């Protein structure tokens, strides 16, 4: 896969607000939503979103070189049994 970088991750946690101190320790701008917490680490809005739910990783978005790299990544992930949602 030709992954260039992390676009975003969405984490679910029973207490999203508990992530506030962690985000502040990272130097992130922390924004509260109704049932989520956004961590802005750079010029992009919210590289990390912590939403209310069962503890775990909900979604990840990756930056790829181009449409061909995206098609290849989807093929490789599906071959590994990972469900892809556009």
């Amino acid at each position: 896969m030709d992954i260039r970088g992390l676009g975003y991750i969405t984490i679910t946690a029973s207490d999203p607000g508990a992530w506030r101190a962690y985000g502040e320790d990272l130097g992130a701008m922390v924004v509260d939503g109704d049932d989520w917490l956004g961590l802005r680490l750079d010029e992009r809005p919210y590289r990390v979103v912590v939403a209310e739910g069962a503890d775990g990783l909900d979604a990840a978005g990756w930056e790829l070189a181009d449409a061909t790299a995206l098609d290849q990544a989807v093929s490789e992930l599906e071959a590994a049994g990972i469900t892809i949602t556009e």
Side-chain angles (χ1 to χ4, degrees), residues 12-81:
T12 51
S14 56
D15 181 10
W19 283 70
R20 173 174 284 288
Y22 179 68
E24 290 170 350
D25 286 347
L26 290 174
M29 181 179 82
V30 181
V31 176
D32 290 302
D34 290 335
D35 58 354
W36 59 273
L37 188 78
L39 305 180
R40 184 173 182 171
L41 302 164
D42 55 18
E43 75 283 352
R44 300 278 181 92
Y46 318 123
R47 290 269 185 193
V48 178
V49 172
V50 184
E52 191 170 336
D55 295 340
L57 176 65
D58 183 56
W62 301 96
E63 296 174 350
L64 299 155
D66 54 28
T68 301
L70 175 60
D71 292 341
Q72 180 63 36
V74 168
S75 294
E76 289 181 36
L77 291 168
E78 288 178 337

